[in-house]
Amino acid sequence: ADGTSAAIAIAIADGQVVVGREDGTVALFGKNAEVLRRFVGHSGAVERVRFGPDDAIYSGGVDGLVMRHDPIDGQSHVVGRHEGGVWGL
């Protein structure tokens, strides 16, 4: 992703911002607006993002996937699949 894809979903916690984009990427920004991590895995727009109680980032997209992204090691894993898009987490 080149950073020009529109933000669709935004979550804020402890000065960090996570953004879901229409190109299927999820980006984690730090307190100074620097990109800390960029995650891939969705095949379509990311409609929902949130910080989880386990300090991971969760995202849901129009591709029906729910993904868990680890901000420490940068790994992403599918944790759920749905028919149609994911509109809430």
Side-chain angles (χ1 to χ4, degrees):
D2 62 8
T4 60
S5 180
I8 294 178
I10 298 173
I12 301 170
D14 297 326
Q16 294 186 328
V17 177
V18 65
V19 176
R21 297 184 179 274
E22 65 183 3
D23 67 359
T25 62
V26 174
L28 174 64
F29 293 87
K31 294 179 181 180
N32 296 315
E34 74 278 17
V35 176
L36 301 176
R37 291 276 187 195
R38 190 174 312 273
F39 303 99
V40 297
H42 287 283
S43 63
V46 176
E47 295 288 334
R48 296 290 182 266
V49 291
R50 72 181 297 262
F51 289 95
D54 58 355
D55 294 327
I57 296 163
Y58 290 85
S59 61
V62 296
D63 56 5
L65 298 180
V66 175
M67 298 193 72
R68 180 186 185 275
H69 311 283
D70 188 322
I72 304 299
D73 66 15
Q75 297 294 309
S76 298
H77 303 281
V78 174
V79 294
R81 296 178 191 274
H82 298 272
E83 296 263 341
V86 176
W87 308 108
L89 289 174

Coordinates of all heavy atoms in Angstrom, one line a residue:
A1 N 0.8 -1.2 0.0 CA 0.0 0.0 0.0 C 0.9 1.2 0.0 O 1.9 1.3 0.7 CB -0.9 0.0 1.2
D2 N 0.5 2.2 -0.7 CA 1.3 3.4 -0.9 C 0.8 4.5 0.0 O 1.3 5.7 0.0 CB 1.3 3.9 -2.3 CG -0.1 4.3 -2.8 OD1 -1.0 4.3 -2.0 OD2 -0.2 4.5 -4.0
G3 N -0.1 4.3 0.9 CA -0.6 5.3 1.8 C -1.7 6.3 1.2 O -2.1 7.2 1.9
T4 N -2.1 6.0 0.0 CA -3.1 6.9 -0.6 C -4.5 6.3 -0.5 O -5.4 6.9 -0.9 CB -2.7 7.2 -2.1 OG1 -2.7 5.9 -2.8 CG2 -1.4 7.9 -2.2
S5 N -4.6 5.1 0.0 CA -5.9 4.5 0.1 C -6.7 5.1 1.2 O -6.2 5.5 2.3 CB -5.7 3.0 0.4 OG -7.0 2.4 0.5
A6 N -8.0 5.4 1.0 CA -8.8 6.1 1.9 C -9.0 5.2 3.2 O -9.2 4.0 3.2 CB -10.2 6.4 1.3
A7 N -9.0 5.9 4.3 CA -9.3 5.3 5.6 C -10.8 5.1 5.7 O -11.6 6.0 5.4 CB -8.8 6.2 6.8
I8 N -11.2 3.9 6.2 CA -12.6 3.6 6.3 C -13.0 3.4 7.8 O -14.0 3.8 8.2 CB -13.0 2.3 5.5 CG1 -12.8 2.6 4.0 CG2 -14.4 1.8 5.8 CD1 -13.1 1.4 3.2
A9 N -12.1 2.8 8.6 CA -12.3 2.5 10.0 C -11.1 3.0 10.8 O -10.0 2.9 10.4 CB -12.5 1.0 10.2
I10 N -11.5 3.6 11.9 CA -10.4 4.2 12.8 C -10.7 3.8 14.3 O -11.9 3.9 14.7 CB -10.3 5.7 12.7 CG1 -10.0 6.1 11.2 CG2 -9.3 6.3 13.7 CD1 -10.0 7.6 11.0
A11 N -9.7 3.4 15.0 CA -9.8 3.2 16.5 C -8.6 3.9 17.1 O -7.5 3.9 16.6 CB -9.8 1.7 16.8
I12 N -8.9 4.4 18.3 CA -7.8 5.2 19.1 C -7.7 4.6 20.5 O -8.7 4.4 21.1 CB -8.1 6.7 19.1 CG1 -8.3 7.2 17.7 CG2 -7.1 7.4 19.9 CD1 -8.8 8.6 17.7
A13 N -6.5 4.4 20.9 CA -6.2 3.9 22.3 C -4.8 4.3 22.7 O -3.9 4.1 22.0 CB -6.4 2.4 22.4
D14 N -4.7 4.9 23.9 CA -3.4 5.2 24.5 C -2.5 6.0 23.5 O -1.3 5.7 23.5 CB -2.7 3.9 25.0 CG -3.4 3.2 26.1 OD1 -4.1 3.9 26.9 OD2 -3.4 2.0 26.1
G15 N -3.1 6.9 22.8 CA -2.3 7.7 21.9 C -1.9 7.1 20.6 O -1.3 7.7 19.7
Q16 N -2.3 5.8 20.4 CA -2.1 5.1 19.1 C -3.4 5.1 18.3 O -4.5 5.0 18.9 CB -1.5 3.7 19.3 CG -0.2 3.7 20.0 CD 0.4 2.3 20.0 OE1 -0.3 1.3 20.2 NE2 1.7 2.2 19.9
V17 N -3.2 5.1 17.0 CA -4.4 5.1 16.1 C -4.2 3.9 15.2 O -3.1 3.7 14.6 CB -4.5 6.4 15.3 CG1 -5.6 6.3 14.3 CG2 -4.6 7.6 16.2
V18 N -5.2 3.1 15.0 CA -5.2 2.0 14.0 C -6.3 2.4 12.9 O -7.4 2.9 13.2 CB -5.5 0.6 14.6 CG1 -6.9 0.5 15.2 CG2 -5.3 -0.5 13.6
V19 N -5.9 2.2 11.7 CA -6.7 2.6 10.6 C -6.9 1.4 9.6 O -6.0 0.8 9.2 CB -6.1 3.8 9.8 CG1 -6.9 4.1 8.6 CG2 -5.9 5.0 10.7
G20 N -8.2 1.1 9.3 CA -8.5 0.2 8.3 C -8.7 0.9 7.0 O -9.4 2.0 6.9
R21 N -8.2 0.4 5.9 CA -8.3 1.1 4.6 C -9.0 0.3 3.5 O -9.2 -0.9 3.6 CB -6.8 1.4 4.1 CG -6.0 2.2 5.0 CD -4.7 2.5 4.4 NE -3.9 3.4 5.3 CZ -3.9 4.7 5.2 NH1 -4.7 5.3 4.4 NH2 -3.1 5.4 6.0
E22 N -9.4 1.1 2.5 CA -10.2 0.5 1.4 C -9.4 -0.5 0.6 O -9.9 -1.4 -0.1 CB -10.8 1.5 0.5 CG -9.9 2.4 -0.2 CD -10.5 3.5 -1.0 OE1 -11.8 3.6 -1.0 OE2 -9.8 4.2 -1.7
D23 N -8.0 -0.4 0.7 CA -7.2 -1.3 -0.1 C -6.9 -2.7 0.7 O -6.2 -3.5 0.2 CB -5.9 -0.7 -0.4 CG -5.0 -0.4 0.8 OD1 -5.4 -0.6 1.9 OD2 -3.9 0.2 0.5
G24 N -7.6 -2.9 1.9 CA -7.4 -4.1 2.6 C -6.3 -4.1 3.6 O -6.1 -5.1 4.3
T25 N -5.6 -3.0 3.8 CA -4.5 -2.9 4.7 C -5.0 -2.3 6.1 O -6.0 -1.6 6.1 CB -3.3 -2.1 4.2 OG1 -3.7 -0.8 4.0 CG2 -2.7 -2.7 3.0
V26 N -4.2 -2.6 7.1 CA -4.5 -2.1 8.4 C -3.2 -1.4 8.9 O -2.1 -2.0 8.8 CB -4.9 -3.1 9.5 CG1 -5.0 -2.6 10.9 CG2 -6.2 -3.8 9.0
A27 N -3.2 -0.1 9.3 CA -2.0 0.5 9.7 C -2.1 1.0 11.1 O -3.2 1.5 11.6 CB -1.7 1.7 8.8
L28 N -1.0 0.8 11.9 CA -0.9 1.3 13.3 C 0.0 2.5 13.3 O 1.2 2.4 12.8 CB -0.4 0.2 14.2 CG -0.1 0.6 15.6 CD1 -1.4 0.9 16.3 CD2 0.6 -0.6 16.3
F29 N -0.5 3.6 13.8 CA 0.3 4.8 13.9 C 0.6 5.1 15.4 O -0.2 4.9 16.2 CB -0.5 6.0 13.3 CG -0.8 5.9 11.9 CD1 -1.9 5.2 11.4 CD2 0.1 6.5 11.0 CE1 -2.1 5.1 10.0 CE2 -0.1 6.4 9.6 CZ -1.2 5.7 9.1
G30 N 1.8 5.7 15.6 CA 2.2 6.0 16.9 C 1.8 7.4 17.3 O 1.1 8.1 16.6
K31 N 2.2 7.9 18.5 CA 1.8 9.2 19.0 C 2.3 10.3 18.2 O 1.7 11.4 18.2 CB 2.3 9.3 20.5 CG 1.7 8.3 21.4 CD 2.2 8.5 22.8 CE 1.6 7.4 23.7 NZ 2.0 7.5 25.1
N32 N 3.3 10.2 17.4 CA 3.8 11.2 16.5 C 3.4 11.0 15.1 O 4.0 11.6 14.2 CB 5.3 11.3 16.6 CG 5.7 11.7 18.0 OD1 5.1 12.6 18.6 ND2 6.7 11.0 18.6
A33 N 2.3 10.3 14.8 CA 1.8 10.0 13.5 C 2.7 9.2 12.6 O 2.5 9.1 11.4 CB 1.4 11.3 12.8
E34 N 3.7 8.5 13.2 CA 4.6 7.6 12.4 C 3.9 6.3 12.3 O 3.2 5.8 13.2 CB 6.0 7.5 13.1 CG 6.0 6.7 14.3 CD 5.6 7.4 15.6 OE1 4.9 8.4 15.6 OE2 5.9 6.8 16.7
V35 N 4.1 5.6 11.2 CA 3.6 4.3 11.0 C 4.5 3.3 11.7 O 5.7 3.2 11.5 CB 3.6 3.9 9.5 CG1 3.1 2.5 9.3 CG2 2.7 4.9 8.7
L36 N 3.8 2.6 12.7 CA 4.6 1.6 13.5 C 4.5 0.2 12.8 O 5.5 -0.5 12.9 CB 4.0 1.5 14.9 CG 4.0 2.8 15.7 CD1 3.3 2.6 17.1 CD2 5.4 3.3 15.9
R37 N 3.4 -0.1 12.3 CA 3.2 -1.4 11.6 C 2.1 -1.2 10.5 O 1.2 -0.4 10.6 CB 2.6 -2.5 12.6 CG 3.6 -2.9 13.6 CD 4.5 -4.0 13.1 NE 5.3 -4.6 14.2 CZ 6.3 -5.3 14.0 NH1 6.7 -5.6 12.8 NH2 7.0 -5.8 15.0
R38 N 2.3 -2.0 9.5 CA 1.3 -2.1 8.4 C 1.0 -3.6 8.2 O 1.9 -4.4 8.1 CB 1.8 -1.5 7.1 CG 0.7 -1.3 6.1 CD 1.2 -0.5 4.9 NE 1.9 0.7 5.2 CZ 1.3 1.9 5.3 NH1 0.0 2.0 5.3 NH2 2.0 2.9 5.6
F39 N -0.3 -3.9 8.3 CA -0.7 -5.3 8.2 C -1.4 -5.6 6.9 O -2.2 -4.7 6.4 CB -1.6 -5.7 9.4 CG -1.0 -5.4 10.7 CD1 -1.3 -4.3 11.4 CD2 -0.1 -6.4 11.3 CE1 -0.7 -4.1 12.7 CE2 0.5 -6.1 12.5 CZ 0.1 -5.0 13.2
V40 N -1.3 -6.8 6.3 CA -2.0 -7.2 5.1 C -2.7 -8.5 5.4 O -2.5 -9.1 6.4 CB -1.1 -7.3 3.9 CG1 -0.4 -6.0 3.6 CG2 0.0 -8.4 4.2
G41 N -3.7 -8.8 4.6 CA -4.4 -10.1 4.8 C -5.8 -10.1 4.2 O -6.4 -11.1 3.8
H42 N -6.4 -8.9 4.3 CA -7.8 -8.8 3.7 C -7.7 -8.6 2.2 O -6.8 -7.9 1.7 CB -8.5 -7.6 4.3 CG -8.9 -7.7 5.8 ND1 -10.0 -8.5 6.1 CD2 -8.3 -7.3 6.9 CE1 -10.1 -8.5 7.5 NE2 -9.1 -7.8 8.0
S43 N -8.7 -9.2 1.5 CA -8.8 -9.0 0.1 C -9.7 -7.9 -0.4 O -9.9 -7.7 -1.6 CB -9.2 -10.4 -0.6 OG -10.5 -10.7 -0.1
G44 N -10.2 -7.2 0.5 CA -11.1 -6.1 0.2 C -11.0 -5.0 1.3 O -10.2 -5.2 2.3
A45 N -11.9 -4.1 1.3 CA -11.9 -3.0 2.2 C -12.0 -3.5 3.7 O -12.8 -4.4 3.9 CB -13.0 -2.0 1.9
V46 N -11.3 -2.8 4.6 CA -11.4 -3.1 6.0 C -12.4 -2.1 6.6 O -12.2 -0.9 6.6 CB -10.0 -2.9 6.7 CG1 -10.2 -3.2 8.2 CG2 -9.0 -3.9 6.1
E47 N -13.6 -2.7 7.0 CA -14.7 -1.9 7.5 C -14.7 -1.6 9.0 O -15.3 -0.6 9.5 CB -16.0 -2.5 7.1 CG -16.2 -2.6 5.6 CD -16.5 -1.3 5.0 OE1 -17.0 -0.4 5.7 OE2 -16.3 -1.1 3.8
R48 N -14.0 -2.4 9.8 CA -14.0 -2.3 11.3 C -12.6 -2.6 11.8 O -12.0 -3.6 11.3 CB -15.0 -3.2 11.9 CG -16.5 -2.9 11.6 CD -16.9 -1.6 12.2 NE -18.3 -1.3 11.9 CZ -18.7 -0.5 10.9 NH1 -17.9 0.0 10.1 NH2 -20.0 -0.3 10.8
V49 N -12.2 -1.8 12.8 CA -10.9 -2.1 13.5 C -11.1 -1.8 15.0 O -12.0 -1.0 15.3 CB -9.7 -1.3 13.0 CG1 -9.3 -1.7 11.6 CG2 -10.0 0.2 13.0
R50 N -10.4 -2.5 15.8 CA -10.5 -2.2 17.2 C -9.2 -2.8 17.9 O -8.6 -3.7 17.4 CB -11.7 -2.8 17.9 CG -11.8 -4.3 18.0 CD -13.0 -4.8 18.7 NE -13.2 -4.3 20.0 CZ -12.9 -5.0 21.1 NH1 -12.4 -6.2 21.0 NH2 -13.1 -4.5 22.3
F51 N -8.9 -2.2 19.1 CA -7.8 -2.7 19.9 C -8.5 -3.7 20.8 O -9.6 -3.5 21.4 CB -7.2 -1.6 20.8 CG -6.4 -0.6 20.0 CD1 -6.9 0.5 19.5 CD2 -5.0 -0.9 19.7 CE1 -6.1 1.4 18.7 CE2 -4.3 -0.1 19.0 CZ -4.8 1.1 18.5
G52 N -7.9 -4.9 21.0 CA -8.5 -6.0 21.8 C -7.9 -5.9 23.2 O -6.9 -5.2 23.5
P53 N -8.5 -6.6 24.1 CA -8.1 -6.6 25.5 C -6.7 -7.3 25.7 O -6.0 -7.1 26.7 CB -9.2 -7.4 26.3 CG -9.8 -8.2 25.2 CD -9.7 -7.4 23.9
D54 N -6.3 -8.0 24.7 CA -5.0 -8.7 24.7 C -3.9 -7.9 24.0 O -2.8 -8.4 23.7 CB -5.1 -10.1 24.0 CG -5.6 -10.0 22.5 OD1 -6.0 -8.9 22.1 OD2 -5.6 -11.0 21.9
D55 N -4.1 -6.6 23.8 CA -3.2 -5.7 23.1 C -3.0 -5.9 21.6 O -2.2 -5.3 21.0 CB -1.9 -5.6 23.8 CG -2.0 -5.0 25.2 OD1 -2.8 -4.2 25.4 OD2 -1.2 -5.5 26.1
A56 N -3.8 -6.9 21.1 CA -3.7 -7.1 19.6 C -4.7 -6.1 19.0 O -5.5 -5.5 19.6 CB -4.1 -8.5 19.3
I57 N -4.6 -6.1 17.6 CA -5.6 -5.3 16.8 C -6.4 -6.3 16.1 O -5.9 -7.3 15.5 CB -4.8 -4.4 15.8 CG1 -3.9 -3.4 16.6 CG2 -5.7 -3.7 14.9 CD1 -2.8 -2.8 15.8
Y58 N -7.7 -6.0 16.0 CA -8.7 -6.9 15.3 C -9.3 -6.1 14.2 O -9.6 -4.9 14.3 CB -9.8 -7.4 16.2 CG -9.2 -8.4 17.2 CD1 -8.6 -8.0 18.4 CD2 -9.2 -9.8 16.9 CE1 -8.1 -8.9 19.3 CE2 -8.7 -10.7 17.8 CZ -8.1 -10.3 19.0 OH -7.6 -11.2 19.9
S59 N -9.5 -6.7 13.0 CA -10.1 -6.1 11.9 C -11.1 -7.0 11.2 O -11.0 -8.2 11.3 CB -9.0 -5.7 10.9 OG -8.3 -6.8 10.4
G60 N -12.1 -6.4 10.6 CA -13.1 -7.1 9.9 C -13.3 -6.4 8.6 O -13.3 -5.2 8.5
G61 N -13.5 -7.2 7.5 CA -13.6 -6.6 6.2 C -14.8 -7.1 5.4 O -15.5 -8.0 5.7
V62 N -14.9 -6.5 4.2 CA -15.9 -6.9 3.3 C -15.7 -8.3 2.7 O -16.6 -8.9 2.2 CB -16.1 -5.9 2.1 CG1 -16.5 -4.5 2.6 CG2 -14.8 -5.8 1.3
D63 N -14.5 -8.8 2.9 CA -14.2 -10.2 2.5 C -14.7 -11.2 3.4 O -14.5 -12.4 3.2 CB -12.7 -10.4 2.3 CG -11.8 -10.0 3.5 OD1 -12.4 -9.7 4.6 OD2 -10.6 -10.0 3.4
G64 N -15.3 -10.8 4.6 CA -15.9 -11.7 5.5 C -14.9 -12.2 6.6 O -15.2 -13.0 7.4
L65 N -13.7 -11.8 6.5 CA -12.6 -12.2 7.5 C -12.6 -11.3 8.7 O -12.7 -10.1 8.6 CB -11.3 -12.2 6.8 CG -11.0 -13.1 5.6 CD1 -9.6 -12.9 5.1 CD2 -11.3 -14.5 5.9
V66 N -12.3 -12.0 9.8 CA -12.0 -11.3 11.1 C -10.5 -11.7 11.3 O -10.2 -12.9 11.3 CB -12.8 -11.7 12.3 CG1 -12.3 -11.0 13.5 CG2 -14.3 -11.3 12.0
M67 N -9.6 -10.7 11.4 CA -8.2 -11.0 11.6 C -7.7 -10.4 12.9 O -8.2 -9.4 13.4 CB -7.4 -10.4 10.4 CG -7.8 -11.0 9.1 SD -6.7 -10.6 7.8 CE -5.3 -11.6 8.3
R68 N -6.7 -11.1 13.4 CA -6.0 -10.6 14.6 C -4.5 -10.2 14.2 O -3.9 -11.0 13.5 CB -5.9 -11.7 15.7 CG -5.1 -11.3 16.9 CD -5.0 -12.5 17.9 NE -4.4 -12.1 19.1 CZ -3.1 -11.9 19.3 NH1 -2.2 -12.2 18.4 NH2 -2.6 -11.5 20.5
H69 N -4.1 -9.0 14.5 CA -2.8 -8.5 14.1 C -2.0 -8.2 15.4 O -2.5 -7.5 16.3 CB -3.0 -7.2 13.3 CG -4.0 -7.3 12.2 ND1 -3.7 -7.9 11.0 CD2 -5.2 -6.8 12.1 CE1 -4.8 -7.8 10.2 NE2 -5.7 -7.2 10.9
D70 N -0.8 -8.7 15.5 CA 0.0 -8.6 16.7 C 1.0 -7.4 16.4 O 1.8 -7.5 15.6 CB 0.8 -9.8 16.9 CG 1.6 -9.8 18.2 OD1 2.1 -8.8 18.6 OD2 1.7 -10.9 18.9
P71 N 0.8 -6.3 17.2 CA 1.7 -5.1 17.0 C 3.1 -5.4 17.4 O 4.0 -4.6 17.0 CB 1.0 -4.1 17.9 CG 0.2 -4.8 18.9 CD -0.2 -6.1 18.3
I72 N 3.4 -6.4 18.2 CA 4.8 -6.7 18.6 C 5.6 -7.4 17.5 O 6.6 -7.0 17.1 CB 4.8 -7.5 19.9 CG1 4.0 -6.9 21.0 CG2 6.2 -7.8 20.4 CD1 4.5 -5.5 21.4
D73 N 5.0 -8.6 17.1 CA 5.8 -9.3 16.1 C 5.3 -9.1 14.6 O 5.9 -9.6 13.7 CB 5.8 -10.8 16.4 CG 4.4 -11.5 16.3 OD1 3.5 -10.9 15.7 OD2 4.3 -12.6 16.8
G74 N 4.3 -8.3 14.4 CA 3.8 -8.0 13.1 C 3.0 -9.1 12.4 O 2.7 -8.9 11.2
Q75 N 2.7 -10.2 13.1 CA 2.0 -11.3 12.4 C 0.5 -11.0 12.4 O 0.0 -10.4 13.3 CB 2.3 -12.6 13.2 CG 3.7 -13.0 13.2 CD 4.2 -13.4 11.8 OE1 3.6 -14.2 11.2 NE2 5.3 -12.8 11.4
S76 N -0.1 -11.5 11.3 CA -1.6 -11.5 11.2 C -2.2 -12.8 10.9 O -1.5 -13.6 10.2 CB -2.0 -10.6 10.0 OG -1.5 -9.2 10.2
H77 N -3.3 -13.1 11.6 CA -3.9 -14.4 11.4 C -5.4 -14.3 11.3 O -6.0 -13.4 12.0 CB -3.6 -15.3 12.7 CG -2.2 -15.5 12.9 ND1 -1.4 -16.4 12.2 CD2 -1.3 -14.9 13.8 CE1 -0.2 -16.3 12.6 NE2 -0.1 -15.4 13.6
V78 N -6.1 -15.1 10.5 CA -7.5 -15.1 10.4 C -8.0 -15.9 11.6 O -7.6 -17.0 12.0 CB -8.0 -15.9 9.1 CG1 -9.5 -16.1 9.1 CG2 -7.5 -15.2 7.9
V79 N -9.0 -15.2 12.3 CA -9.6 -15.8 13.5 C -11.1 -16.1 13.3 O -11.7 -16.7 14.2 CB -9.3 -15.0 14.8 CG1 -7.9 -14.9 15.1 CG2 -9.9 -13.6 14.6
G80 N -11.6 -15.7 12.2 CA -13.0 -15.9 11.9 C -13.4 -15.6 10.5 O -12.7 -14.8 9.8
R81 N -14.4 -16.3 10.0 CA -14.9 -16.1 8.6 C -16.4 -16.0 8.6 O -17.0 -16.8 9.4 CB -14.5 -17.3 7.7 CG -13.0 -17.5 7.5 CD -12.7 -18.7 6.7 NE -11.3 -19.1 6.7 CZ -10.4 -18.5 5.9 NH1 -10.7 -17.7 5.0 NH2 -9.1 -18.9 6.0
H82 N -16.9 -15.1 7.9 CA -18.4 -14.9 7.8 C -18.8 -14.9 6.4 O -18.1 -14.5 5.5 CB -18.7 -13.6 8.5 CG -18.4 -13.6 10.0 ND1 -19.2 -14.1 11.0 CD2 -17.2 -13.2 10.6 CE1 -18.6 -14.0 12.1 NE2 -17.4 -13.5 11.9
E83 N -20.1 -15.2 6.2 CA -20.7 -15.0 4.9 C -21.0 -13.5 4.8 O -21.5 -12.9 5.7 CB -22.0 -15.7 4.7 CG -21.9 -17.2 4.8 CD -21.8 -17.9 3.5 OE1 -22.3 -17.2 2.5 OE2 -21.4 -19.0 3.4
G84 N -20.5 -12.9 3.7 CA -20.7 -11.4 3.6 C -19.7 -10.7 4.4 O -18.8 -11.2 5.0
G85 N -19.8 -9.3 4.4 CA -18.9 -8.5 5.1 C -19.0 -8.5 6.6 O -20.0 -8.9 7.1
V86 N -18.0 -8.1 7.3 CA -18.0 -7.9 8.7 C -18.2 -6.4 9.0 O -17.4 -5.6 8.7 CB -16.6 -8.4 9.3 CG1 -16.6 -8.1 10.8 CG2 -16.4 -9.8 9.0
W87 N -19.3 -6.2 9.7 CA -19.7 -4.8 10.0 C -19.7 -4.4 11.4 O -20.0 -3.3 11.8 CB -21.1 -4.6 9.4 CG -21.2 -5.0 8.0 CD1 -21.9 -6.1 7.5 CD2 -20.6 -4.4 6.8 NE1 -21.7 -6.2 6.2 CE2 -20.9 -5.2 5.7 CE3 -19.8 -3.3 6.7 CZ2 -20.5 -4.9 4.4 CZ3 -19.3 -3.0 5.4 CH2 -19.7 -3.8 4.3
G88 N -19.2 -5.3 12.3 CA -19.1 -5.0 13.7 C -18.1 -6.0 14.3 O -17.9 -7.1 13.9
L89 N -17.4 -5.5 15.3 CA -16.4 -6.3 16.1 C -16.7 -6.2 17.6 O -17.1 -5.2 18.1 CB -15.0 -5.9 15.8 CG -14.4 -6.2 14.5 CD1 -13.0 -5.5 14.3 CD2 -14.3 -7.7 14.2

